[in-house]
Amino acid sequence: MPRDYQLISADSHVLEPPHIWTTYMPKKFHDKVPRVVPDGEGGEAWQFAPDIAPAPIGIYASAGRSHQDIRWTGVTFAAANQGNFRGEPRLQEQDVDGVDAEVLFGSARMMSHFFSDDDPEFQLAGVQAYNNWLAEEIMKVDPTRLIGLAAIPALNAKAAIAEMERCLKLGFRGVWLNTFPSVGEKIGPDDDPFWDACQQNEVAVHFHVRVMRKVAKPKPKGKRGDDLTGLANVGAADMITDMPEIISSGVHDRFPNLTWVAVETGSGWIPYILEQLDDRWWRNKSWLPVKLKHEPSYYYRRNWMSAFMVDHYAVRNRHLLGVDNIMWSTDYPHHGCDWPQTRKTVDEMFRGVPDDERRKMTAGNAMRLYKL
């Protein structure tokens, strides 16, 4: 009997467990894999390398803790909700929260450890280890509720296609990119073979928070994860540039059936930048090197979706965004979630929204995108 989806989080997370790298990577790489160490304040952290400060797990495993108790340090894997990294408990945590399914992302901080290594074999082994662990220990428990997106290596388009195709056979329902496939600072022709392969396979492309323009070693608390501004404008700060650059590149004319998803970027700011793009395009298209068949906002509405957490502006401006273009999310188990009170948050945010529109944003659009 088909599941009656009412709440699907389009952006949730897993916390990579302590055993993942030594279990799923070849032994010859074990001397370079991240290790769990004490964080110095009673919790645990990932040690990426001896010359990098330990990266605490606190706000990435904060589900169920009161706001005044959330901090970067002091959280252990044993004390955290076990659904952070185990499939069966994750289903139980969904049930407690009233959430029917989640789209699962890993940590860009963790991926950066592998992306920044000089050995491409080590990088690919790390990316594949994450994907294999997610498929084997999480998705397999219930693929109708635990929706995996394949991490894509930052090597070149050929390697990206190979990993995407391998992961589709494992049951993944989309791809999660941190960099462009060719690892350039801007989208370019070398990326086209990957977009073509995704379009042919009807696979949506996801960028979580931002496009990583330059590969760098991971920072212990992310790009700006330890200040209010960085926590507040995360996603929008970068995607307000990333999305227009992708649209103006002409990629959507070349691959008109490919769907792109901006995740944990929020959505309320998007109508403003679309208006500005259209205005500047109409005024300047006679001399700009940008050659598009349609005005920029057309491509957003045809080719893009975005995921938001608490974003009352997006809900109020849903018709400017397109009710079919936006998806609600929890960010579970990160500090942006309200577990186990998610239903209360959703009811408050969608108060007064017609039921059919609410269901599209909280479940229906994700059902369509991930073929649930």
Side-chain angles (χ1 to χ4, degrees), residues 35-348:
R35 288 176 168 77
V36 175
V37 298
D39 67 10
E41 297 186 26
E44 292 175 318
W46 280 107
Q47 183 77 64
F48 295 115
D51 60 338
I52 299 177
I57 65 172
I59 71 170
Y60 290 163
S62 60
R65 293 155 64 201
S66 62
H67 294 315
Q68 59 265 31
D69 291 332
I70 294 175
R71 58 192 176 102
W72 269 107
T73 55
V75 177
T76 65
F77 282 89
N81 281 4
Q82 295 301 286
N84 281 314
F85 42 82
R86 295 172 54 204
E88 288 288 355
R90 184 58 166 253
L91 296 180
Q92 296 167 11
E93 290 157 21
Q94 287 181 354
D95 291 340
V96 168
D97 209 22
V99 171
D100 298 299
E102 296 172 281
V103 182
L104 302 173
F105 292 84
S107 166
R109 184 178 67 168
M110 183 68 75
M111 286 295 111
S112 293
H113 173 71
F114 297 100
F115 293 164
S116 61
D117 194 274
D118 292 334
D119 182 357
E121 187 183 359
F122 175 74
Q123 180 192 151
L124 184 58
V127 171
Q128 291 186 335
Y130 168 81
N131 288 333
N132 291 341
W133 165 76
L134 191 66
E136 182 65 27
E137 298 190 25
I138 305 293
M139 293 159 48
K140 186 180 287 186
V141 174
D142 189 340
T144 70
R145 301 184 66 184
L146 301 170
I147 301 161
L149 300 180
I152 297 300
L155 293 170
N156 52 58
K158 183 178 180 180
I161 292 169
E163 184 61 9
M164 180 264 289
E165 292 178 341
R166 186 184 78 88
C167 286
L168 289 180
K169 297 175 183 177
L170 299 177
F172 286 82
R173 295 177 185 261
V175 291
W176 162 42
L177 290 95
N178 286 277
T179 68
F180 289 120
S182 64
V183 205
E185 291 189 29
K186 290 190 174 184
I187 189 170
D190 289 344
D191 300 312
D192 279 1
F194 182 76
W195 311 138
D196 184 41
C198 288
Q199 179 173 262
Q200 289 187 42
N201 284 281
E202 299 181 349
V203 170
V205 170
H206 301 70
F207 284 105
H208 186 275
V209 176
R210 66 180 64 87
V211 179
M212 190 183 295
R213 303 303 184 111
K214 289 185 178 180
V215 171
K217 291 185 181 299
K219 294 183 177 181
K221 296 179 181 178
K223 186 176 181 180
R224 286 190 67 174
D226 56 357
D227 72 270
L228 177 59
T229 299
L231 294 173
N233 71 5
V234 63
D238 290 283
M239 194 54 68
I240 201 168
T241 298
D242 296 339
M243 182 186 291
E245 284 192 0
I246 292 169
I247 289 174
S248 62
S249 74
V251 68
H252 302 317
D253 283 330
R254 297 192 298 278
F255 306 102
N257 297 319
L258 179 59
T259 299
W260 302 62
V261 190
V263 184
E264 203 172 318
T265 59
S267 303
W269 55 270
I270 293 176
Y272 167 78
I273 196 62
L274 293 181
E275 178 187 54
Q276 300 307 307
L277 281 170
D278 285 354
D279 180 74
R280 302 307 188 271
W281 182 72
W282 281 113
R283 293 174 186 275
N284 301 287
K285 65 178 181 176
S286 64
W287 64 267
L288 280 172
V290 175
K291 304 301 177 186
L292 301 175
K293 295 179 181 178
H294 306 278
E295 62 183 2
S297 63
Y298 171 87
Y299 299 104
Y300 169 78
R301 296 187 172 91
R302 187 188 70 184
N303 293 97
W304 282 84
M305 302 183 77
S306 61
F308 63 89
M309 298 181 293
V310 176
D311 192 340
H312 290 263
Y313 291 96
V315 175
R316 292 172 194 160
N317 293 297
R318 60 191 180 277
H319 296 120
L320 294 175
L321 282 155
V323 175
D324 294 326
N325 294 79
I326 51 179
M327 299 183 290
W328 163 84
S329 64
T330 66
D331 197 38
Y332 184 90
H334 290 187
H335 62 104
C337 79
D338 289 310
W339 186 93
Q341 303 295 328
T342 290
R343 284 166 290 186
K344 178 182 177 183
T345 300
V346 171
D347 287 342
E348 290 174 352

